[in-house]
Amino acid sequence: MPKETVSRWSESRYTNLQVPSYVPSEALMHEDGQFLRAFLLRVLANDMQRMLATNTCAVYFRNIPLEPEYDASGNRTNTPENVVMEKRLRVMDDISKLLRTYVERAEYAANKSKDINRRIYFTAEQIETGDFGALIGPRGLVHQQLEKETNCHIVLVGRGITNPLKDTNPNAAAMALEDPHVRITATTEEDLQTAAERIEWILSDEPEAVEFRENNRRRMAQVDGRYDPRTWMTAAEKRKKAAAEKAAAAGDDEAGAEKGRKRVREEAPIEEEDTELNEFLEDL
């Protein structure tokens, strides 16, 4: 006959009004399962508190081997009550950690919701000439310096800038369809204004800003291995050359159109009739 074993669970029924008998399915997925974990820890803590209050800790270890341990004075250190008490303290520590994590998440969400944003859109010329690249700089040094000096989060997004195949942002596909712009996120209006003024200056037509962008283009080309002083052209020289080529192409097209145009045949002028001569001839 099989050996009869005594259940380790309590033989008497009890009711814990703090623990619900039903947990909705939505609660199981809340906070990525952290709610369920906190709930089970709370149930375990309440059960152990009940065992300590009713002096039934030994029942919990009825079928669990618990080798006695003694200190130097001969006192047992791992009595069922001591083990349950230590385990309950660890459970309460875990619950406290979960609570702190929840509070930190709530504070982070509250602070994040207070962030203010501003968008500065690039012009077609800035996209064509690549002037917006001055906001990144060689190896991203300008971008890092801007964020450090202004205490803002600065991101360049939009068509021609965001690559949804390489960008790890889950919204990369949507951002790739937006108009090209720089997005500034700050916690204060002062930081936001400072970052906006700095970015607008870099993109402006002031001589110092133009020189700043040109130096960045040169350094980026040197880092990428594309710089050759014999063939290097500034952005202004490139624009001038492109305008000259465009004008030359337009002149060639106009000359070709003029050459291919059919010459209109000139008709002989119609001489006006001399009425006096006709009358004289009729009299004859």
Side-chain angles (χ1 to χ4, degrees):
M1 295 180 62
K3 182 180 178 180
E4 294 184 1
T5 58
V6 182
S7 174
R8 76 178 198 181
W9 302 108
S10 175
E11 298 176 356
S12 60
R13 300 183 61 181
Y14 72 98
T15 302
N16 191 338
L17 298 179
Q18 297 180 358
V19 179
S21 58
Y22 170 73
V23 180
S25 58
E26 295 82 4
L28 301 179
M29 303 301 297
H30 186 61
E31 294 291 339
D32 297 331
Q34 295 302 310
F35 172 81
L36 178 61
R37 182 167 180 264
F39 171 75
L40 296 177
L41 288 174
R42 179 65 66 179
V43 171
L44 183 59
N46 289 339
D47 284 345
M48 288 187 289
Q49 178 63 28
R50 177 188 57 82
M51 288 189 291
L52 291 171
T54 57
N55 197 20
T56 56
C57 297
V59 179
Y60 181 79
F61 297 98
R62 179 177 296 176
N63 290 331
I64 300 177
L66 187 61
E67 295 293 334
E69 297 178 0
Y70 301 92
D71 57 10
S73 302
N75 299 322
R76 184 175 178 180
T77 58
N78 64 336
T79 61
E81 290 76 11
N82 292 341
V83 174
V84 172
M85 178 63 72
E86 292 177 359
K87 187 172 183 179
R88 184 178 182 278
L89 292 177
R90 290 196 298 269
V91 170
M92 296 304 297
D93 289 341
D94 292 340
I95 294 175
S96 300
K97 291 179 181 178
L98 287 176
L99 179 60
R100 286 195 298 269
T101 303
Y102 179 79
V103 172
E104 290 174 357
R105 285 184 178 181
E107 292 178 352
Y108 174 77
N111 294 332
K112 187 176 181 180
S113 62
K114 296 179 181 178
D115 291 343
I116 49 180
N117 303 285
R118 180 181 297 182
R119 297 185 179 188
I120 300 177
Y121 288 89
F122 301 124
T123 63
E125 182 180 359
Q126 291 170 347
I127 294 296
E128 183 179 355
T129 58
D131 288 345
F132 68 93
L135 299 175
I136 301 175
R139 304 186 188 278
L141 294 179
V142 176
H143 179 260
Q144 296 174 10
Q145 185 177 2
L146 279 174
E147 289 190 330
K148 183 178 180 180
E149 292 178 352
T150 61
N151 296 323
C152 298
H153 182 57
I154 302 173
V155 183
L156 278 68
V157 297
R159 290 188 301 272
I161 300 177
T162 303
N163 188 347
L165 300 179
K166 295 182 179 180
D167 200 323
T168 57
N169 192 310
N171 300 324
M175 292 189 299
L177 301 177
E178 298 180 4
D179 293 334
H181 65 277
V182 54
R183 184 180 303 168
I184 311 171
T185 304
T187 56
T188 63
E189 285 285 350
E190 183 179 358
D191 292 341
L192 184 68
Q193 185 64 24
T194 302
E197 291 177 355
R198 180 66 174 165
I199 291 173
E200 289 174 351
W201 178 84
I202 293 176
L203 299 175
S204 67
D205 294 333
E206 295 185 11
E208 294 82 0
V210 174
E211 183 180 0
F212 176 82
R213 293 198 301 269
E214 187 59 36
N215 292 335
N216 270 281
R217 286 185 61 250
R218 187 180 296 106
R219 285 197 294 267
M220 292 175 68
Q222 291 173 350
V223 170
D224 297 339
R226 297 180 290 103
Y227 178 74
D228 187 352
R230 297 169 299 179
T231 59
W232 179 258
M233 298 177 62
T234 63
E237 292 173 348
K238 281 188 175 182
R239 286 194 293 267
K240 186 176 180 180
K241 181 180 179 181
E245 292 177 352
K246 185 177 181 180
D252 294 341
D253 293 342
E254 185 177 354
E258 184 68 23
K259 184 177 180 181
R261 188 181 300 130
K262 293 182 178 180
R263 180 177 296 178
V264 180
R265 186 176 61 182
E266 297 181 356
E267 297 181 356
I270 301 175
E271 298 181 357
E272 297 182 358
E273 296 181 356
D274 193 344
T275 55
E276 295 181 356
L277 179 59
N278 292 336
E279 292 177 356
F280 175 75
L281 293 175
E282 289 177 358
D283 293 340
L284 293 177

